[in-house]
Amino acid sequence: MVTVQDVGSLAAQVDELTRALTKAEEANAPVIERCHPRHRAGAVNLVHYAELRRHDLRDLQGDLTDIGVTSLATAEANVRAKLAAARSALGALDGEPGPWDLAGINDAIDAGDELLWEHADALLGPPPRGRAARIMVTLPSEAADDPALVRDLVHRGMDLARINCAHDGPDEWAAMARHVRAAARATGRPVRVYMDLGGPKLRTGPIAPGPAVVRVRPERDDLGRPTRPGHLWLTAGTDAGTDASTDPDTAPGPDARPLAGAPADAVPVPVDPSWLARLAVGDLIDFEDTRERQRDYDVVEVGDGWAVAAGDRTSYLVPGMTLRVDDDVTTVGPLPRAERRIRLAADDLLILTRALTPADPLATPPRIGCTLPEVFGAVRLGHRILFDDGEITGVVERVGEDEIGVRITRTPPGGKRLGAEKGINLPDTDLPVTALTEADLDALPTVVEHADVVGLSFVRSAADVAHVRRELTVRGGEHLGLVLKIETVQGFAHLPEILLDGLRWPRLGVMIARGDLMTEIGWERMSEVPHQIMSLCDAAHVPVIWATQVLESLAKRGVPSRAEMVDAAEAQRAECVMLNKGPYILDAITTLDSVLHRMGRVQRKSHRLLRRIGSWSD
């Protein structure tokens, strides 16, 4: 319980905090002076906020709240003005004569919010009427050849189109950007092009593939009875009918899909085109599969260069296998080789190697390559290593020049299979690599030509930001907005100095890339750390992009989960929300647009807006 006698003590604490802000500002004056003129107020406030958060304010907050004075919980936009407001209220309660510049304090508090909105508009473009947050959408590869898809995205509410430079190539990126510009003109909407640099790739190396084989199986009920047949998609193979058993490079890939409405689960099998042309609905295809079991499949649909056959027995097919319709014979053409993985469980030893030769998944102990050589000179005994988005966790037990011994400490129950090209995270290791790779430097000319905004991945230090600023300047990229992606422990730990260097660039933003960030900091802190990042960015008047798995289930499967709907509502605190691609992305945009409109009426940043609740009225 706060008494009248306590008010003077509270005022003294606020005075002490205000003096601490002044000292911090003076100490950082040279850094602040180097910031771009439009960002100097943000740099000053960032220094103030970082200093404020060095103190444990919980007792002071409680006492101030008890007597109806601001709790400082929403001080991000203008820290000094918030302290001045608290000090004025305490002075009035303590009988000090004043005068109190309440109008000036209020203007100073509002100025911080206005600067953030101004910077968000400059970087991301103006938001649509009715919602404060923009919607960014990752373009799929098909967007390079499908301008109608891009128009649909823009029409549904996409405000920024994200082009991921870790995939496709300069020609595809340029085509996507042209389609975005054309769609923006056609709809009259100011859509911006955001191009994301890939950054250093830290992934597992290749694994030797298994045999060239495909499996076709029906769906069965709980008693093992077929409820839906398995389907073969027979298609014209260039070498089918000859000896193609050792030519998997020409095989249809695992993502190949049937044509003309054939079942989505149909397995592609190439055969001789002339044999395929003689098939008719009702023909019976018989063969002996790899287990020497006789199988019969009925031709249920035929088209130009393809046919679909259905059967109710599980079958395994390999290149060179004979297929018959009565006396009409062909052989299976080239098939993709089976992808294999390394099964790991807690207490297993995994050897991480510098060599990127395909790993044998049956070796003891198992070995797999690492795509980033710098890892081998940087890791230390006891450092944590996480694989596949943190699904597999290990600790460094042995360090050598070309090998690292990793003792697996955690997997999902029953173990986990580790595949090739899976992400590796090293939250305890300071890697001696820059966020801007040679591949990124090669991509920059295309980015400078076609993008409005460029994203820098895996930012760990202010040096990373300085590097990208230099390279953009050399290539004439000063017109680009710059977004710093925070997705590592180091990036979070060094965020104040990262922001201060970034504030030297005219248009700056931050993306909270929650996928890798969650892997590194752990699930337990995922409700805490992104909000701390957002608060620090708010203090710097830097707009934030909320990213990774927003409405992921809806975009990929067509139905949202309850948790991700809550997450989408929480994302309203950011200036932009990113959606990833998926077959139901148009529905995801529509849903997110609705959520952001609704949440904008009840919350602005960290401020709750107490609108009238009509359902409670008489």
Side-chain angles (χ1 to χ4, degrees):
M1 182 74 177
V2 179
T3 66
V4 175
Q5 291 76 18
D6 296 325
V7 171
S9 172
L10 296 178
Q13 293 179 59
V14 172
D15 288 339
E16 182 61 30
L17 284 173
T18 302
R19 287 191 291 271
L21 302 190
T22 301
K23 290 179 182 178
E25 182 180 340
E26 291 171 349
N28 287 277
V31 177
I32 294 170
E33 184 62 28
R34 288 195 291 270
C35 292
H36 191 278
R38 72 167 56 172
H39 288 310
R40 283 189 190 136
V44 170
N45 194 59
L46 171 62
V47 169
H48 288 170
Y49 186 73
E51 174 61 31
L52 184 75
R53 296 306 302 270
R54 289 182 60 249
H55 303 264
D56 189 335
L57 304 175
R58 287 174 292 183
D59 289 342
L60 176 60
Q61 280 184 289
D63 291 341
L64 292 175
T65 302
D66 287 346
I67 57 175
V69 178
T70 175
S71 70
L72 304 178
T74 56
E76 295 91 351
N78 198 313
V79 177
R80 187 180 287 276
K82 276 286 188 177
L83 285 177
R87 183 62 180 83
S88 296
L90 291 169
L93 288 172
D94 203 29
E96 295 179 12
W100 315 115
D101 183 17
L102 300 182
I105 291 171
N106 187 62
D107 288 345
I109 292 173
D110 290 344
D113 291 328
E114 291 164 2
L115 279 172
L116 177 56
W117 299 335
E118 176 186 317
H119 295 164
D121 286 352
L123 178 74
L124 306 168
R129 184 174 181 178
R131 60 173 160 89
R134 296 94 180 144
I135 295 176
M136 176 188 289
V137 179
T138 300
L139 297 183
S141 296
E142 306 90 86
D145 302 313
D146 191 351
L149 168 62
V150 178
R151 284 197 302 272
D152 287 342
L153 295 173
V154 173
H155 180 73
R156 287 293 184 102
M158 178 177 73
D159 304 299
L160 293 98
R162 175 177 176 257
I163 298 173
N164 187 354
C165 296
H167 302 292
D168 305 307
D171 291 342
E172 290 81 7
W173 307 335
M176 291 179 195
R178 287 194 297 269
H179 295 331
V180 172
R181 305 293 186 203
R185 289 192 297 271
T187 59
R189 300 191 63 237
V191 183
R192 299 205 171 177
V193 174
Y194 171 95
M195 295 181 72
D196 228 339
L197 300 173
K201 290 182 173 61
L202 182 52
R203 298 187 180 279
T204 55
I207 297 175
V213 61
V214 295
R215 179 178 64 174
V216 187
R217 60 177 176 178
E219 294 181 7
R220 299 181 182 275
D221 63 16
D222 292 342
L223 298 178
R225 297 171 299 196
T227 58
R228 188 174 186 273
H231 294 93
L232 289 174
W233 173 32
L234 300 166
T235 185
T238 55
D239 296 324
T242 63
D243 184 13
S245 60
T246 59
D247 186 16
D249 293 337
T250 59
D255 294 329
R257 288 292 181 263
L259 301 174
D265 63 343
V267 178
V269 174
V271 294
D272 180 71
S274 60
W275 183 86
L276 183 64
R278 294 190 292 272
L279 290 181
V281 173
D283 283 347
L284 184 66
I285 301 173
D286 69 85
F287 59 92
E288 190 176 83
D289 82 348
T290 58
R291 300 166 298 170
E292 300 182 352
R293 295 178 181 177
Q294 192 66 34
R295 294 291 183 254
D296 298 316
Y297 275 66
D298 294 306
V299 177
V300 295
E301 190 174 0
V302 295
D304 185 11
W306 60 271
V308 176
D312 60 4
R313 298 287 187 90
T314 299
S315 307
Y316 292 82
L317 295 89
V318 295
M321 179 178 288
T322 300
L323 306 180
R324 294 183 179 85
V325 176
D326 297 327
D327 295 326
D328 197 359
V329 177
T330 190
T331 56
V332 174
L335 295 172
R337 300 185 67 179
E339 177 185 331
R340 296 198 293 178
R341 300 182 180 186
I342 298 171
R343 177 164 289 281
L344 295 169
D347 205 40
D348 284 349
L349 178 66
L350 174 67
I351 307 299
L352 204 61
T353 72
R354 187 188 295 266
L356 292 176
T357 52
D360 177 2
L362 301 180
T364 305
R367 312 165 72 85
I368 195 166
C370 174
T371 59
L372 198 65
E374 290 83 356
V375 166
F376 294 87
V379 297
R380 299 290 181 264
L381 295 177
H383 280 193
R384 289 172 295 158
I385 297 188
L386 301 95
F387 301 91
D388 197 2
D389 294 332
E391 290 280 317
I392 300 170
T393 301
V395 174
V396 175
E397 186 177 90
R398 186 169 82 232
V399 177
E401 184 177 346
D402 298 313
E403 294 184 354
I404 299 169
V406 181
R407 184 65 62 180
I408 303 303
T409 56
R410 187 179 66 183
T411 67
K416 171 76 175 179
R417 295 194 304 162
L418 177 63
E421 286 292 308
K422 296 301 180 182
I424 302 175
N425 291 84
L426 300 163
D428 304 326
T429 306
D430 188 8
L431 291 173
V433 295
T434 175
L436 203 59
T437 67
E438 289 299 320
D440 296 334
L441 293 173
D442 291 341
L444 277 184
T446 305
V447 172
V448 169
E449 181 180 358
H450 293 286
D452 299 303
V453 185
V454 59
L456 182 65
S457 299
F458 298 105
V459 177
R460 291 181 172 87
S461 68
D464 287 332
V465 185
H467 186 194
V468 74
R469 287 193 296 102
R470 289 193 300 270
E471 295 297 341
L472 286 174
T473 301
V474 167
R475 290 164 175 78
E478 296 95 332
H479 63 285
L480 293 175
L482 174 61
V483 168
L484 310 175
K485 296 173 65 178
I486 304 302
E487 47 198 324
T488 66
V489 166
Q490 293 87 353
F492 171 60
H494 300 145
L495 186 55
E497 52 262 42
I498 286 171
L499 286 173
L500 284 170
D501 195 282
L503 291 173
R504 299 172 69 172
W505 196 255
R507 294 189 294 140
L508 183 72
V510 163
M511 177 182 285
I512 306 177
R514 298 180 299 162
D516 279 287
L517 184 63
M518 185 198 74
T519 299
E520 295 221 349
I521 65 174
W523 303 316
E524 300 87 351
R525 301 192 67 193
M526 269 311 291
S527 61
E528 166 197 2
V529 170
H531 290 100
Q532 292 177 352
I533 295 173
M534 194 180 301
S535 294
L536 204 61
C537 292
D538 289 349
H541 308 147
V542 168
V544 167
I545 301 168
W546 186 267
T548 313
Q549 292 188 317
V550 177
L551 296 181
E552 185 93 345
S553 296
L554 176 55
K556 290 187 174 179
R557 295 190 289 276
V559 179
S561 69
R562 289 187 294 272
E564 69 182 19
M565 290 301 296
V566 174
D567 180 59
E570 185 72 7
Q572 188 271 341
R573 291 184 57 184
E575 284 65 50
C576 182
V577 186
M578 191 186 91
L579 295 171
N580 259 325
K581 55 186 179 289
Y584 302 96
I585 185 60
L586 295 177
D587 293 338
I589 296 173
T590 299
T591 300
L592 181 59
D593 178 73
S594 176
V595 169
L596 294 177
H597 271 89
R598 290 175 180 274
M599 287 302 299
R601 298 197 293 266
V602 298
Q603 184 163 344
R604 179 62 53 87
K605 301 297 288 182
S606 57
H607 299 266
R608 289 285 183 183
L609 307 178
L610 301 181
R611 70 173 179 85
R612 174 179 175 272
I613 299 178
S615 59
W616 292 352
S617 61
D618 187 359

